[in-house]
Amino acid sequence: MLSATIRSLLIYLWKSNICQNKGLQGLMASQGAADVEAFWSQKQGVHRLPSIEKAVDEVKGYEFEMESKNIQLLTPVDEHHAYPLGLLPLFPIPSVIAVCGDVKYLTMPQVAIVGSRSTLESAYDVTHSIVDAIASRGLCVTSGGAFGIDAIAHRRAMARRAPTIVVSPGAPESPGPSKNEDIYAYAREHGAIVSQYPCGFAPLKRNFPSRNRIIAALSSATIIVHCREKSGALYTAQAAQKLGKPVYVAAMRGMHPLTEGGLALVKQGKALLLSDCADLEPIIGKKQRDLPLQKMLFDRGDAEENAAAMVDEDMECDEDGDESRTEAAVANGFGMSSNLMPSALDAFCRAQMRDHSTVDVIRNILRQSPMTRENLRHLLGYPEDFDEAMLDLELGGEIAQTGGAYGLVLTH
């Protein structure tokens, strides 16, 4: 089957560290065997690659090895549709992600909690309160497994026996840092470890910005406890904002350099001030349920038409270990450039519009992720009844706007 072959070749290039080369959209958009063969022949002219048949056979053995380590490989072209819908709007889209643990946790509503590695004493109480509010509503705590705020959030979830997702800057089996092995061990059993990298890749600082955009994409909202003016947490916030997802900044007592980054976002109107867990009600106030991600995804035939290229991201970190933001790796939102190919999410929406009303499609999209009005309009192909459908949903109390993005108001 063509889709199975494309999937195997994506994994082969990924595990061979060739996934950073431009042109993978050509493979994912292949419409027939001839397209795949042409793509592979071009790559063979640059890299020492085996035949397609040998590459496919090698991947079968590699996936068997990964399964023995409780690692599942997901690609945007998977027929079983386990690849997280939230990652599809990213550009570049991760061609393969490795998940150590149970992939079912990726379908749960998630909230990202991030911040600096250096922490204030008061950050413990603040983070614990936030995690308690999130966990009590059945949501999953997602973060980067790093020192500081990340670790506080993960360990509070552990204390509550709540699920947590670690997005690793290295291979799925390599804790980063090693002193947080307990967090990774817990996530393997009661959540998941998500990675863009094959086994054997060390958790490098230059991978942090790319890791942070995945944290934002997986989550319904991002909460910054505290961070400096130059911090990787701000990159997470920037990625969330471009995806049309709300960003919150915890109100911390007193003035301190560690609070400057978050407060700057609030002053710029890019984040909401979180002074009480009640402020999170638009996101976690209603009883949540697991999102039917696999059932909501696009048909394979539509997905084959769309993709995005992986490109190299060479990031720098500041002296205290927080990642500095660079313009070269800003995660684009939906339809940010007319030169981009339509995303797989575009294909999903177009397919939905053929069989369902505009109101139903808007509901389906917002079940997966908050989104701005303009992004919704773009994804649906600018239907004539869009404004009427949005008004009906708003007046009916089914959707609400928070931080510039609309979300579905889930009822009990």
Side-chain angles (χ1 to χ4, degrees):
M1 181 179 285
L2 181 64
S3 59
T5 300
I6 293 174
R7 180 181 186 277
S8 294
L9 296 183
L10 286 172
I11 294 174
Y12 183 90
L13 294 173
W14 174 77
K15 78 179 187 66
S16 303
N17 197 29
I18 306 177
C19 62
Q20 301 292 352
N21 285 273
K22 296 180 180 180
L24 287 186
Q25 71 269 29
L27 176 59
M28 287 190 278
S30 298
Q31 297 297 304
D35 292 342
V36 174
E37 291 173 2
F39 171 88
W40 200 251
S41 295
Q42 184 182 35
K43 288 295 181 184
Q44 284 178 319
V46 181
H47 308 280
R48 292 184 177 180
L49 300 179
S51 66
I52 291 177
E53 292 74 16
K54 288 184 177 180
V56 170
D57 287 340
E58 185 174 327
V59 167
K60 290 179 180 178
Y62 181 74
E63 286 205 85
F64 181 80
E65 178 187 348
M66 292 299 98
E67 289 175 2
S68 68
K69 299 179 180 180
N70 191 29
I71 297 173
Q72 186 170 343
L73 305 181
L74 308 178
T75 79
V77 299
D78 287 356
E79 290 187 340
H80 52 83
H81 299 327
Y83 190 89
L85 178 63
L87 300 184
L88 295 177
L90 292 177
F91 183 84
I93 184 174
S95 61
V96 180
I97 60 168
V99 180
C100 185
D102 195 332
V103 296
K104 74 178 183 183
Y105 290 105
L106 299 184
T107 71
M108 291 181 62
Q110 302 169 44
V111 175
I113 302 177
V114 296
S116 60
R117 287 161 177 74
S118 301
T119 57
L120 300 173
E121 188 64 31
S122 57
Y124 285 83
D125 290 339
V126 171
T127 305
H128 288 175
S129 296
I130 295 170
V131 172
D132 290 349
I134 292 170
S136 66
R137 270 75 166 188
L139 281 78
C140 188
V141 173
T142 299
S143 196
F147 289 134
I149 301 301
D150 289 18
I152 296 172
H154 286 306
R155 290 197 172 100
R156 185 61 175 183
M158 292 166 58
R160 293 185 56 93
R161 305 300 294 174
T164 192
I165 292 176
V166 179
V167 183
S168 174
E173 85 287 2
S174 301
S178 58
K179 290 183 179 180
N180 286 347
E181 165 59 32
D182 61 320
I183 294 173
Y184 281 73
Y186 179 87
R188 292 186 194 103
E189 299 297 327
H190 305 283
I193 302 168
V194 178
S195 172
Q196 298 180 81
Y197 307 100
C199 289
F201 272 62
L204 303 175
K205 290 181 178 179
R206 69 187 181 95
N207 297 337
F208 292 166
S210 182
R211 181 271 309 273
N212 288 356
R213 74 187 188 120
I214 291 182
I215 293 175
L218 288 175
S219 304
S220 297
T222 295
I223 301 174
I224 298 175
V225 177
H226 63 53
C227 66
R228 298 182 186 276
E229 286 189 304
K230 291 184 178 181
S231 169
L234 297 180
Y235 187 92
T236 310
Q238 186 182 41
Q241 183 185 19
K242 286 186 174 293
L243 292 170
K245 300 186 178 186
V247 178
Y248 294 86
V249 173
M252 304 291 293
R253 295 178 181 175
M255 301 294 292
H256 192 280
L258 283 173
T259 67
E260 292 175 352
L263 291 178
L265 289 179
V266 175
K267 292 177 181 177
Q268 295 164 12
K270 297 179 179 179
L272 303 171
L273 188 64
L274 179 62
S275 58
D276 188 280
C277 284
D279 296 334
L280 292 172
E281 287 301 305
I283 301 297
I284 66 174
K286 300 294 183 180
K287 183 178 180 181
Q288 303 282 341
R289 63 177 182 270
D290 288 357
L291 299 180
L293 182 61
Q294 288 86 346
K295 296 179 182 179
M296 296 296 302
L297 279 168
F298 48 86
D299 292 336
R300 178 69 189 94
D302 292 305
E304 287 178 348
E305 299 178 1
N306 305 283
M310 288 292 290
V311 297
D312 190 24
E313 292 177 328
D314 188 11
M315 302 301 167
E316 299 178 351
C317 299
D318 58 19
E319 294 180 357
D320 71 355
D322 282 348
E323 311 93 290
S324 298
R325 294 170 293 161
T326 63
E327 293 297 324
V330 172
N332 277 288
F334 311 110
M336 296 294 289
S337 169
S338 60
N339 295 324
L340 302 183
M341 295 180 63
S343 70
L345 186 56
D346 286 321
F348 161 68
C349 295
R350 300 295 194 273
Q352 288 275 306
M353 287 295 290
R354 289 197 297 266
D355 303 320
H356 303 282
S357 68
T358 301
V359 168
D360 287 339
V361 177
I362 292 173
R363 285 196 194 100
N364 289 344
I365 295 172
L366 295 183
R367 280 195 183 98
Q368 307 302 315
S369 174
M371 194 172 297
T372 64
R373 188 184 188 93
E374 185 54 35
N375 284 341
L376 276 169
R377 191 193 304 270
H378 166 75
L379 286 172
L380 270 62
Y382 301 93
E384 293 182 358
D385 62 341
F386 176 81
D387 290 330
E388 181 181 351
M390 289 290 289
L391 182 60
D392 287 345
L393 290 169
E394 286 187 87
L395 293 178
E398 295 187 59
I399 63 174
Q401 188 177 20
T402 305
Y406 283 89
L408 192 69
V409 178
L410 299 180
T411 58
H412 290 274

